[in-house]
Amino acid sequence: PPPPPPPPPPRLPPPPPPPQSYRQINLPIAPVANTTKVIIPTTSSTAEFRQQWEPVVTETSKHPDYATLFPFPTKLPQFRAYGSWCATHPPLVVLSCATLLVWDDDNDKSTDGEGRTKRRKTKPEVCRLTVLNGLNPREVLLDTLVKPKRSVADYRTADTGITSDDLRDVVFYLEHAHTFLKSLCSAETVIVGHGVYEDLFTALGLAHYCCADTSLLFRVKGCHGEKMVVPLLSDIVKQCSVATGALTEDTGRVDCVGKARATLDCCWFYMAKRGRVPEIISSDPDAGYKVLCSEVPVGMEGDALKEVFFEQTFILPLASSAITGKKCYLDFTSEDHLKLAFEGIEGEVKKDSAGRKLKIFKCGDGKSFRVVLTREI
């Protein structure tokens, strides 16, 4: 008998539906009350858009610390490649975030091998997200409170103006923020911000490499302009006489919408001056008295770093920033304090790729990390 006929090929699943436009997504946005409305001069898209913004993105990438700030972990979600799906979307957006602190481990009864309670760790997370159309700053694409799913350790109300009552009934979460931004931005969308690397990585957990960051474009006078010596946005606005709206609301909290508009204005000022902008005098008297600690051993926290620093140099740092990406900053009270601390580190003085002085700090357990001066002393 003839062989049986071959089985029919399996039916292929239907193609996935096209992604929704960011204008059509139904998200539980939580409006922010009492936001100061500011009317400012606006710009429009021109044929020279790339010619205008490519130099600003390039100058951001030339900052000495760009290579350590922007290589985001590969596991972080990124935006899709540019295509017809976003051809009508703004090629320029402005991002501003407010953050609070959440417990990195909600189990507060965890113990070590000797039965001692472990020190609980905190991490920053977004609690307010603002996105503007960079070609028309009057158009607020999104301004919402964001509720964290982890337990809150510190609302940072003095800085954010946000309390537990503000977030109690909010149902907009971090995944909603990701959904909106992924439907809005492509890999070639220029994202403008002040400290945008912190907004993207620390607050939102996203990776993006096409950024114009005013905290890296403007430099502090007498400093190299690294992360912890970046100028305040308010200092740039004041000293460069940038005409912009208020940075705070009537309630006294940070106005994320006003901050975003001011950041964009500072970018336009930078482009108008073709990068020849004045150095900024920081209003923080201790802005330059810091060292950068990089390649910090895994498991070492800020307080422990201060202790090992004191054991070798007999100089106790004033404070330590949170360790992110194996790096943090140690603060000192004065230039003499900083100088004594750096000189107290055993070993020879070297220089990094940016020409900054550094030493290798060797811990007693055989581990080591790099200590870099962020200013000349």
Side-chain angles (χ1 to χ4, degrees), residues 236-317:
I236 300 176
V237 170
K238 180 179 179 181
Q239 296 176 36
C240 295
S241 300
V242 176
T244 186
L247 300 181
T248 58
E249 299 176 351
D250 296 336
T251 58
R253 69 182 174 190
V254 174
D255 180 7
C256 288
V257 176
K259 177 185 173 183
R261 287 171 174 155
T263 302
L264 182 62
D265 284 344
C266 290
C267 262
W268 282 114
F269 176 85
Y270 182 90
M271 289 189 292
K273 297 293 184 180
R274 297 183 179 180
R276 294 188 288 269
V277 294
E279 291 186 321
I280 305 301
I281 301 174
S282 176
S283 59
D284 180 1
D286 295 328
Y289 307 133
K290 304 175 187 289
V291 294
L292 166 65
C293 299
S294 63
E295 301 178 12
V296 177
V298 176
M300 180 175 288
E301 299 180 1
D303 290 340
L305 192 65
K306 291 168 56 180
E307 292 174 5
V308 298
F309 208 94
F310 176 76
E311 290 174 0
Q312 184 174 134
T313 67
F314 300 100
I315 300 295
L316 183 64

Side-chain angles (χ1 to χ4, degrees), residues 42-45 92 132-140 261 264:
T42 61
T43 59
S44 59
S45 179
L92 177 73
L132 305 185
N133 180 349
L135 300 183
N136 179 15
R138 290 178 294 182
E139 183 183 2
V140 180
R261 287 171 174 155
L264 182 62

Side-chain angles (χ1 to χ4, degrees), residues 65-79 95 191 195-211 213 216 324-325 327:
D65 270 356
Y66 180 88
T68 57
L69 293 172
F70 279 85
F72 301 109
T74 55
K75 63 181 181 180
L76 288 183
Q78 300 186 29
F79 301 124
L95 182 69
I191 297 183
V196 69
Y197 51 89
E198 291 183 341
D199 289 341
L200 287 169
F201 172 58
T202 306
L204 293 168
L206 293 171
H208 190 61
Y209 299 94
C210 188
C211 303
D213 195 328
L216 304 182
T324 304
K327 67 181 187 302

Side-chain angles (χ1 to χ4, degrees), residues 21 30 86 90 124 132 155 171 174 179 184 204 260 369:
S21 167
C86 62
L132 305 185
Y155 284 92
V171 291
L174 182 62
T179 299
L184 169 68
L204 293 168
F369 56 91

